[in-house]
Amino acid sequence: QICLSLVKLLFYLAHSPLGSIVLLDFQPRQFVMVDGNLKVTDMDDASTEELSCKEDNDCTLDFPTKSFPLKCSAVGKCEGINEKKNLFNAYRYFFTYLLPHSAPPALRPFLSDILNATGDLRYGINETLKAFEKVLHLYKSGLYLQKRPLLLKDYISLKGFRTVEGEDYKCWPSYSHLGCLLSVHSAEEAAAICNSQSQCQSFIITQQRTWTGRPLASFQSSLTDLIPDAKAVVYIKRSASSGKRL
């Protein structure tokens, strides 16, 4: 969410009515999330000036660990230098820390491609935004889910009940520090996740939604007391449902 919002912001800056705007003091502290969107808190160090040049050798974009040769345009300006400077700063301050983590395994190669392409400045901001929107579409639609055996048939569903909330086993990347609370596309994906975790014996699809509209599923290691909830469904592994409680 943070990286996509940042890319949308940089896309606007690259195509603003004032021309391409560069953030000269590009640091994480310069940004804040407002209603799920990343905002710049200080525009004092923003500039529309692009580096003047006479030849291509005048257009090297230097960073502490990398340098990039750019072209000198016919009007004597280094082509795209503001856009590329913003994008590489986004890569080194945000993408490298946030993109490799927490995505479903099937989507990680797509994020790795974005990371590598922006790190080498092979992508401009247009291509970067398009790549992010493709990943978001795959994520929201569930198209990233590979064809696999249907696992939900291995679970008993109890409609009209939910489990008592409490501290349980931890997992990564959980939305709760008390237990294992993960974003899922469907109950079928939740069943696959539960099967992949040795501690998991049951799960419930909660009413909570993430910023993409996906529900959160709570995974549990034991069959705790069930309480009535007309909107809820508890899914219990058949192998774990032979106890006296059921």
Side-chain angles (χ1 to χ4, degrees):
Q1 183 182 15
I2 293 171
C3 291
L4 175 61
S5 187
L6 175 59
V7 168
K8 288 180 176 179
L9 173 61
L10 298 187
F11 179 85
Y12 173 78
L13 294 179
H15 302 285
S16 85
L18 300 176
S20 183
I21 298 174
V22 63
L23 302 177
L24 299 175
D25 185 20
F26 197 115
Q27 299 284 340
R29 65 173 180 268
Q30 297 287 75
F31 300 90
V32 64
M33 290 292 285
V34 180
D35 297 328
N37 295 306
L38 208 65
K39 306 285 187 180
V40 182
T41 60
D42 184 2
M43 291 293 288
D44 289 345
D45 292 309
S47 173
T48 58
E49 290 294 320
E50 292 197 307
L51 186 64
S52 297
C53 58
K54 292 182 179 180
E55 57 184 24
D56 291 350
N57 288 339
D58 298 329
C59 293
T60 301
L61 183 56
D62 289 316
F63 292 96
T65 58
K66 280 189 176 182
S67 295
F68 300 95
L70 305 181
K71 296 289 186 181
C72 182
S73 71
V75 295
K77 297 291 184 180
C78 296
E79 288 184 357
I81 192 168
N82 287 352
E83 172 188 328
K84 292 179 184 297
K85 188 171 185 178
N86 284 342
L87 189 54
F88 190 79
N89 277 328
Y91 159 80
R92 66 180 183 140
Y93 287 119
F94 287 89
F95 298 172
T96 53
Y97 298 105
L98 300 177
L99 285 188
H101 308 292
S102 77
L107 289 179
R108 288 174 193 167
F110 294 98
L111 296 179
S112 180
D113 287 344
I114 293 175
L115 195 63
N116 292 333
T118 53
D120 294 334
L121 286 185
R122 287 185 283 111
Y123 280 0
I125 191 62
N126 295 359
E127 295 87 354
T128 303
L129 178 58
K130 185 177 180 180
F132 267 102
E133 288 179 336
K134 176 183 178 181
V135 175
L136 180 63
H137 172 67
L138 293 173
Y139 185 61
K140 291 174 69 173
S141 66
L143 290 173
Y144 69 91
L145 294 170
Q146 300 170 344
K147 290 185 178 180
R148 63 181 75 180
L150 297 179
L151 301 174
L152 201 56
K153 63 180 179 2
D154 297 330
Y155 290 76
I156 295 172
S157 62
L158 295 178
K159 296 181 179 180
F161 292 93
R162 63 178 172 86
T163 54
V164 177
E165 294 182 7
E167 189 167 351
D168 209 313
Y169 77 93
K170 311 297 191 297
C171 67
W172 173 261
S174 178
Y175 282 79
S176 169
H177 67 280
L178 295 177
C180 186
L181 187 66
L182 300 175
S183 164
V184 297
H185 178 260
S186 62
E188 186 62 51
E189 184 182 14
I193 292 173
C194 188
N195 273 24
S196 70
Q197 299 175 345
S198 59
Q199 306 101 311
C200 185
Q201 296 298 315
S202 65
F203 65 88
I204 179 173
I205 308 295
T206 74
Q207 298 300 307
Q208 295 174 268
R209 293 291 187 271
T210 69
W211 66 282
T212 61
R214 287 162 54 100
L216 294 179
S218 177
F219 300 88
Q220 298 171 330
S221 61
S222 59
L223 296 177
T224 58
D225 291 331
L226 300 177
I227 57 177
D229 186 334
K231 297 181 179 180
V233 181
V234 179
Y235 296 88
I236 303 169
K237 279 184 179 178
R238 292 185 183 275
S239 59
S241 63
S242 57
K244 294 180 180 180
R245 188 180 302 277
L246 286 178

